[in-house]
Amino acid sequence: MFYRAWHIAVDKEDNILILDSGNHRIQKFNRDGLYLKTIGKKGYGPGEFLNPSNFFIDPENNIYVYDSRRIKIFSENGQYIKEIILENNISDFAINSRKNIFALIYQYLESGNYHSLVKLDNNGRILKVIKKFKRTSYEVVRKSGDKSISFRIEHPYSNSVYLTSIKNDFFVFGESSEYKLFMINGEGDLIMRIEKEAPYLPITQKEKNKIRRGFKYLEKRWPKDVIEEAIQYPSHRPFFNRILADDKGRIYVCLSLIHISEPTRLGMISYAVFCLK
C-alpha cells in the first residue's frame, strides 16, 4: 500500500518507480506491475529519508531523490551512492548526461523573492542562473513574543514555475501565469521559445468559494483571520500547472480546473497543448 505517492517515473527498461513519500521509500515494479524492490527507508543514515518529495532517473538509470534540501543518489539496483547538500530549497529538478543538475530553486535576494531555474554542478554549486521569475509573496507572518511564524497556502490556481526534461539533453520550463514555454539545451542555453496568444480568464467567485471550502480544516489549527489573508488569488487563471514530455519528445501542458457543477468534488482536466517533433 502507498501512503502519499507523490511522483512516478519509468526507467529505460520500462520499470515503474513510485515515490511512496509517506512510507519514506521508492517502490519499484516491472512493466506488468510485478513488485521488484524497495529503495530507502525512514531514518537519518546514508540512503535513508526524512521527507522525500521528488525524484529523477538519469540516462544511466541512476535515481536522484530530493529529500529536505538534499539530493540522494542511488544506482538502478537501489545501492546508495552519495548525497548532495543544497544551499536552497527546490521545487523540481532534472539531470543532464554530464550529471549537471537543473533545478527550480527559491531565492531570497535584496531585490525580492524569486523562483529561479539554475544549473548546478554535481556538488550542488550554482554554475549558472538561467532565468529568474519574481514571486509575489503570499506569506502571512504573525509574531508571538520574539518569534515569527509564517503561514502560506498553495491551491490549484496558484502561479508557479514548472520544469521537465525531454530526450537528448533538452529541458522545457515555464511560469504558469503566461502562455510561454522555454526550451534549453544541456548547457543551459535558450534555443527555443514557444508562445501562444490567449486571453486571460478571470477566476470566478464560485471557484474562489470552492477553494476556500477546501481549507476549512485549517480553521482549528490556524489563527482565525490568517486563512482569509493567506488564500491569495492571481489576477487570472494559470495557463498550466504541470509540464510533461514523452519518449518521442512531445511536450504536454496540463491544467487543473475547479469543477463548480459538483460541489463535493475537486476535478482535474488535462489538455495536451503542444506537440513538438
Side-chain angles (χ1 to χ4, degrees), residues 91-92 104 106 115-117 132-133 135 159-163 173-176 240 243:
S91 61
D92 203 358
L104 293 171
Y106 297 106
H115 205 172
S116 304
L117 177 62
K132 296 191 296 184
F133 296 91
R135 297 178 68 204
N159 287 325
S160 191
V161 185
Y162 299 93
L163 167 73
F173 68 96
E175 202 270 342
S176 61
F240 54 87
I243 307 172

Side-chain angles (χ1 to χ4, degrees), residues 7 15 44 49 61 65 89 110 116 120 126 143 161 175 181 190 201 209-210 224-225 231 249 268:
H7 191 67
N15 296 312
Y44 294 87
F49 301 130
N61 270 359
V65 185
N89 287 314
E110 290 185 3
S116 304
L120 309 173
I126 295 178
K143 291 187 177 181
V161 185
E175 202 270 342
L181 295 180
L190 179 67
L201 298 178
N209 293 341
K210 177 67 177 178
K224 187 175 181 179
D225 62 334
I231 299 179
M268 176 183 290

